[in-house]
Amino acid sequence: MALDYATLELLRQNHPAWRLLRAHHAPLVAGFLHRVFIVPNVRNLSQADLVEELEDELFALREQLGAETFPGTAQSYLNDWAENDKGWLRKFYPPGTDDPHFDLTPATEKALAWLEGLSERAFVGTESRLLTLFELLRQMSEGSQTDPQVRIAELQKRRNDIDVEIARILAGDIPLLDDTGLKDRFQQFLQLARELLTDFREVEHNFRTLDRRVRERIALWEGAKGALLEEIMGERDAIADSDQGKSFRAFWDFLMSQSRQEELTRLLEQVLSLPPILALHPEPRLHRVHYDWLEAGEYTQRTVARLSEQLRRFLDDQAWLENRRIMDILHSIESHALALREELPSGDFMTLSETSATVDLPLERPLYRPPLRPFIAEMALDEGDADVDTAALYAQVVVDRAVLTRNIRQELQERSQISLAEVVARHPLRHGLAELVAYLQLACEWPKTAVDDEVQEQVSWRMETGVMRQATLPRIILLRNR
C-alpha cells in the first residue's frame, strides 16, 4: 500500500485504529483495553465483568483528575466504543446466552501494539532478528530448489557442521549463549507470540466479514439458489485456499499435534527457568502461551463452523419464506373466490384445460423384455446341387374374382337370396379350394350377407387327379342388394 497523501487521509478518516489515536479519551480507552484484554490475553469478556472493571478504572481516575473528568457511565462508554463510528470493540452475543460480550477488534489491537512500540526498550536485540532473517532466506532457497544435487550438497554441508559441533562438545568445548543472546532471543519470542495472537483476531475478523457479505448477498439475491450456493462456496474456498487460509491451516495442524504441545511445554519451562530470563521478570502466563494459541485458534475454528451453520440456516429460512409466499398467494385466491361466490362475474370466469388428472398406474407399465439377440453361426454356404422341379413355381392357380362375382349376381337375378353352397352347385369349382376361399372372401365383402351357424352345408369339387374333395361350412346366405 502506497503511503501517499490520499491514502493516509482516507485512513485518518475511516480506520478505527487512527480514530482511537485521535480520540479525546484515547489514554483511557487504550490503557483500559490493554489492561483487561492484552495483558491477561483474554479473548472476550462479558458485559457485566467489563462494566465492573471499567467502573473501577473510572473511579480511580476521577479520584485523581476530578469528578467531571469522565462524566459518562461505564456502560455508556462501552456501548460508544462498540458503535460503528468507533469500531474499537465488538459487541456480540455468544450462542446460548443473552448476556452480551465484548472483544477487541483487530484495528484496536494494532493501535495498542503500535503504542507499545513507542515505549523505550531497555534492551534492543538485533542478532536474533538477523539470524531469523538468515534462517528464513535459507528455508526459502532450499524449498524452491529443484536440483537434487544442490539439495544434497546443502544437506551434506549441514551434516558436516553438525559433526564438527558434536566433535567440539565431545572434546569438552561446549558453546553457550551468553546473557545478551538469551535476552535478545527472548524479546523476539515475546514479540512473535503477541503478534501471533493478534493475527488470530484478524483471521477471525476476515471470516466474520465473509459471513456478513454472504448474508447481504442472500438478502438481495434474485437468481437460482444453486448459482448462489456455487458463488458463496467458491468465495469460501477462495479464502480457505488463500495464503492466509493455508498458513492458518498449517499452523493449526502443527499445533494440534500432541508431541508438539509436549515439546513446547518442555522448552518453555526450560527457557523460563534460566537466570537471565528470570531477571527480565516474564509474565507467568508465558508458561502456557501455546495453550493461548490453541484457544485462540479454536475460537477461530468455531467462527468458521458458525459461518457454515448460519449459511445453512439462512438458506432454510429463505426456503421457508418462499413457501410462505406461495401459501399467501393461495390464501389470496381463496379469499377472492369466496368474495365472488354470491356475485359471479358474467362470461367465462376461468378456463381449465383439464378437469381431471390422468392416472397411470405402475402395474400398467409393461414388464421389461430383454431384446432378442440372433445367434449367427459362422458357416460357409455351399452351392446347391439338389434336383428340384421348378415347374411348380410357374403353375400357380389364378382365380378370377370378377367371374365369381358375376355368377353370384346372375343367380340373384332370379331370386332375392341364395346360399353359397347353391352357387357352387350351379357353378362347379374349377380351381378347388382356392376358388372356394375366393367365394368366402366375396361373401364377406357382399353388401348383404347372413350366416346361419346352426345349419351346415357341404361343398364338394373334383380335382384334376379325379379325387373328390368336400368342405363343410355354415350356411352363408347372399341377399340381393336391391
Side-chain angles (χ1 to χ4, degrees):
M1 182 179 64
L3 294 180
D4 53 10
Y5 176 81
T7 304
L8 293 176
E9 180 63 20
L10 191 65
L11 289 175
R12 189 181 71 86
Q13 295 179 1
N14 300 314
H15 202 281
W18 203 316
R19 281 201 297 264
L20 173 59
L21 298 176
R22 293 171 50 224
H24 180 65
H25 295 320
L28 169 65
V29 180
F32 174 70
L33 296 181
H34 184 270
R35 182 175 65 82
V36 296
F37 282 105
I38 301 300
V39 174
N41 189 29
V42 174
R43 289 290 303 178
N44 57 74
L45 285 171
S46 66
Q47 178 175 272
D49 295 338
L50 201 58
V51 166
E52 185 178 354
E53 291 282 349
L54 186 55
E55 288 288 359
D56 294 341
E57 183 89 8
L58 293 175
F59 178 78
L61 291 175
R62 286 164 184 161
E63 289 290 324
Q64 297 177 9
L65 306 175
E68 294 79 14
T69 307
F70 300 103
T73 63
Q75 181 68 62
S76 63
Y77 280 125
L78 291 177
N79 291 332
D80 182 57
W81 297 348
E83 291 293 333
N84 291 330
D85 59 341
K86 300 295 190 301
W88 303 329
L89 286 176
R90 183 174 72 91
K91 187 177 182 180
F92 64 101
Y93 292 85
T97 177
D98 297 332
D99 187 16
H101 283 57
F102 288 89
D103 186 14
L104 282 182
T105 61
T108 304
E109 198 155 5
K110 287 180 181 177
L112 297 180
W114 185 77
L115 290 174
E116 279 185 315
L118 294 180
S119 60
E120 293 184 0
R121 288 178 292 178
F123 173 77
V124 179
T126 55
E127 180 196 3
S128 62
R129 296 188 181 185
L130 179 61
L131 294 177
T132 302
L133 295 176
F134 185 81
E135 180 65 19
L136 291 175
L137 290 175
R138 187 184 61 79
Q139 292 178 4
M140 288 187 288
S141 176
E142 292 182 358
S144 59
Q145 185 55 254
T146 58
D147 189 353
Q149 296 300 326
V150 176
R151 298 284 296 271
I152 292 175
E154 182 64 26
L155 292 174
Q156 186 71 35
K157 178 177 177 298
R158 291 167 58 185
R159 188 173 67 179
N160 294 336
D161 294 340
I162 293 174
D163 291 340
V164 171
E165 187 174 357
I166 292 175
R168 288 178 58 188
I169 294 174
L170 292 177
D173 183 10
I174 304 176
L176 296 175
L177 283 175
D178 56 7
D179 293 352
T180 304
L182 288 175
K183 293 178 182 178
D184 183 6
R185 285 159 178 77
F186 185 70
Q187 282 197 347
Q188 188 179 3
F189 169 77
L190 288 179
Q191 182 180 359
L192 293 177
R194 290 174 180 173
E195 289 177 357
L196 193 57
L197 291 173
T198 305
D199 292 342
F200 279 124
R201 275 198 172 93
E202 190 157 2
V203 171
E204 182 187 345
H205 173 73
N206 291 340
F207 277 108
R208 282 201 307 271
T209 304
L210 169 65
D211 179 29
R212 184 165 54 250
R213 195 158 57 238
V214 166
R215 288 167 181 262
E216 294 174 356
R217 191 167 302 171
I218 289 175
L220 302 176
W221 187 261
E222 296 180 355
K225 194 175 295 182
L228 174 63
L229 278 176
E230 183 178 0
E231 186 173 347
I232 291 174
M233 292 305 174
E235 189 165 353
R236 185 183 183 279
D237 293 341
I239 287 184
D241 296 337
S242 63
D243 294 339
Q244 181 178 252
K246 289 179 180 177
S247 177
F248 175 74
R249 189 165 58 249
F251 165 82
W252 182 252
D253 295 340
F254 182 85
L255 196 61
M256 285 299 292
S257 171
Q258 183 65 29
S259 60
R260 296 293 184 182
Q261 294 182 19
E262 293 175 356
E263 183 180 3
L264 282 172
T265 303
R266 180 178 56 80
L267 291 175
L268 282 171
E269 291 178 353
Q270 182 180 353
V271 170
L272 292 176
S273 62
L274 295 173
I277 304 302
L278 289 175
L280 295 175
H281 305 290
E283 300 174 3
R285 196 177 180 85
L286 284 177
H287 287 276
R288 48 173 293 110
V289 66
H290 53 302
Y291 293 112
D292 292 340
W293 296 338
L294 193 65
E295 182 181 355
E298 186 178 359
Y299 202 86
T300 304
Q301 291 282 25
R302 285 200 299 267
T303 302
V304 176
R306 280 201 300 272
L307 170 63
S308 302
E309 182 182 355
Q310 289 171 0
L311 174 62
R312 179 179 55 79
R313 191 181 305 164
F314 241 105
L315 293 177
D316 292 343
D317 293 344
Q318 191 73 9
W320 181 80
L321 290 175
E322 291 176 357
N323 294 333
R324 196 179 70 171
R325 172 63 178 162
I326 295 174
M327 295 305 297
D328 290 342
I329 293 175
L330 293 176
H331 180 69
S332 175
I333 293 174
E334 292 175 353
S335 301
H336 283 80
L338 290 175
L340 295 173
R341 183 174 58 181
E342 302 299 334
E343 299 177 358
L344 294 178
S346 59
D348 297 334
F349 178 71
M350 180 179 290
T351 303
L352 297 177
S353 57
E354 295 288 345
T355 57
S356 63
T358 303
V359 180
D360 293 331
L361 298 177
L363 294 179
E364 292 180 351
R365 300 177 180 175
L367 297 177
Y368 172 74
R369 292 183 178 179
L372 295 177
R373 296 182 179 179
F375 176 75
I376 302 176
E378 296 182 356
M379 56 181 296
L381 297 178
D382 299 330
E383 184 179 358
D385 54 355
D387 187 10
V388 179
D389 185 9
T390 57
L393 297 176
Y394 306 100
Q396 299 297 319
V397 175
V398 178
V399 178
D400 193 350
R401 287 165 51 90
V403 174
L404 303 181
T405 304
R406 187 172 63 246
N407 295 338
I408 296 174
R409 288 176 178 173
Q410 182 180 356
E411 295 299 328
L412 288 177
Q413 288 178 356
E414 300 175 359
R415 59 181 73 179
S416 60
Q417 61 183 19
I418 187 172
S419 67
L420 182 59
E422 292 175 337
V423 174
V424 174
R426 293 179 179 272
H427 304 275
L429 300 177
R430 293 181 299 173
H431 302 294
L433 182 61
E435 190 172 353
L436 177 61
V437 172
Y439 268 120
L440 293 173
Q441 186 178 6
L442 288 174
C444 294
E445 298 173 356
W446 198 257
K448 291 183 178 179
T449 307
V451 180
D452 189 1
D453 294 330
E454 296 180 355
V455 180
Q456 302 291 326
E457 293 184 334
Q458 304 294 328
V459 176
S460 58
W461 67 92
R462 184 184 296 277
M463 301 184 62
E464 295 179 356
T465 57
V467 179
M468 291 297 296
R469 296 291 185 183
Q470 188 177 55
T472 303
L473 63 160
R475 173 178 289 181
I476 300 175
I477 301 173
L478 302 172
L479 304 176
R480 189 191 305 174
N481 191 19
R482 53 182 181 178

